[in-house]
Amino acid sequence: QVQLVESGGGLVQAGESLRLTCAASGSIHSTSTMAWYRQAPGKQREVVASIIYGGKTYYADFATGRFTISRNKNTVYLQMNMLKSEDTAVYYCNVRPRGTPADLGSWGQGTQVTVSS
């Protein structure tokens, strides 16, 4: 059982930055994949970025160059720079065993990010 607590969301203006934090506890292994997803109103949840065992990262096209995912033990961060109005969404943390699909992992409660233009 894994528990995830997200924080760091808020209301910012376009061009500003936010740093999201997800603290994981419970049955989490150092080889687990940790990721951030987001869901905007009326849209499906989509991956933002992920970090796997060994530190390799993956970014969605919209996140490349603006967002940075990092991990320190059981905490994963998402540094978001140059935010745009289209980044407005609820951001979710996901943790899962290596090689496991995201849907089979653990999800946080979500943190709202609102970017005003």
Side-chain angles (χ1 to χ4, degrees):
Q1 197 77 331
V2 176
Q3 295 79 41
L4 304 175
V5 178
E6 300 138 335
S7 60
L11 171 63
V12 297
Q13 293 188 336
E16 294 184 340
S17 300
L18 277 176
R19 189 192 197 203
L20 305 183
T21 299
C22 173
S25 60
S27 301
I28 181 170
H29 196 272
S30 60
T31 61
S32 296
T33 296
M34 305 185 83
W36 287 96
Y37 288 72
R38 71 183 188 183
Q39 187 167 20
K43 296 187 177 181
Q44 290 190 333
R45 189 174 298 188
E46 60 182 353
V47 62
V48 177
S50 63
I51 184 165
I52 65 173
Y53 178 66
K56 186 175 181 179
T57 56
Y58 162 84
Y59 293 95
D61 287 345
F62 64 80
T64 300
R66 297 191 299 128
F67 295 0
T68 302
I69 189 171
S70 60
R71 175 179 179 176
N72 182 6
K73 295 183 180 179
N74 291 348
T75 301
V76 62
Y77 306 94
L78 185 68
Q79 177 67 42
M80 303 186 294
N81 299 328
M82 297 180 289
L83 283 162
K84 306 175 182 179
S85 57
E86 50 263 47
D87 294 320
T88 294
V90 178
Y91 284 71
Y92 297 90
C93 178
N94 174 268
V95 175
R96 57 197 188 257
R98 183 172 55 174
T100 302
D103 287 348
L104 298 182
S106 300
W107 294 89
Q109 80 285 357
T111 185
Q112 177 70 47
V113 172
T114 303
V115 184
S116 62
S117 57

